[in-house]
Amino acid sequence: MSQTLLAMAKDLVLAQIQAQKLSPDEMHTALHQTYTTLMTLKAQEDADGIVPVTTPAIPPKPVDWRKSLTKHTVMCLECGQSYKQLSVRHLKDHGLDGRSYRVKYGIPRTQPLSAKATTSRRKEIVQRSRPWEKAPTFRKAQEKAPEAVAQKTGRAQRKGTGRAKA
Ligand SMILES: [Zn+2]
């Protein structure tokens, strides 16, 4: 059994030598360390039949947020729950808001956090009701326009009458 481990250690160190060109001293150290590591692993294996696997802290795989959006649902990428839309209150439960949630998952700022159907329905409603026409700035612009035209025509008429008099 230890011979197998030694063989494994030798192979591993040989691979290291080929890769890194180790000096004889380094070779000895590497062989010793590798063998010790293998021995430790073997001892653990024999002890409880389970080798404790220490998973290194791998950053979470980038989630494709597009997959979280379907026609009728939007899945919260934090907890995996599906909703019609991700409310501010829900995101708050995860210590996030719309902005930080988008940043975390690389979602464009303009992407609504709601089901596709909900989003397109909302767009439709918006386009039909034209809320911007109710905005004070838009109204002002609309009110100004005919006034300006009236003033111009008024002036033109006055000018015209003036010329006619002279
Ligand atoms: Zn959630």
Side-chain angles (χ1 to χ4, degrees), residues 76 79 90 94:
C76 172
C79 64
H90 180 84
H94 299 304

Side-chain angles (χ1 to χ4, degrees), residues 36-122:
T36 310
T37 308
L38 287 170
M39 280 290 279
T40 312
L41 284 173
K42 187 73 199 157
Q44 283 171 348
E45 211 171 44
D46 289 344
D48 46 27
I50 303 155
V51 181
V53 183
T54 45
T55 34
I58 303 165
K61 274 186 197 169
V63 192
D64 189 359
W65 59 267
R66 285 174 188 85
K67 283 180 186 159
S68 72
L69 291 171
T70 67
K71 194 159 191 266
H72 297 291
T73 63
V74 55
M75 194 188 80
C76 172
L77 293 164
E78 283 289 306
C79 64
Q81 294 283 326
S82 288
Y83 302 93
K84 276 200 167 175
Q85 67 167 317
L86 287 181
S87 64
V88 174
R89 197 189 297 169
H90 180 84
L91 292 174
K92 211 176 171 185
D93 287 347
H94 299 304
L96 294 164
D97 57 24
R99 197 185 64 88
S100 55
Y101 181 83
R102 283 183 177 87
V103 167
K104 186 169 180 180
Y105 294 102
I107 303 168
R109 261 190 303 167
T110 50
Q111 173 62 49
L113 298 176
S114 51
K116 281 176 183 171
T118 312
T119 303
S120 51
R121 194 166 58 238
R122 225 173 261 161

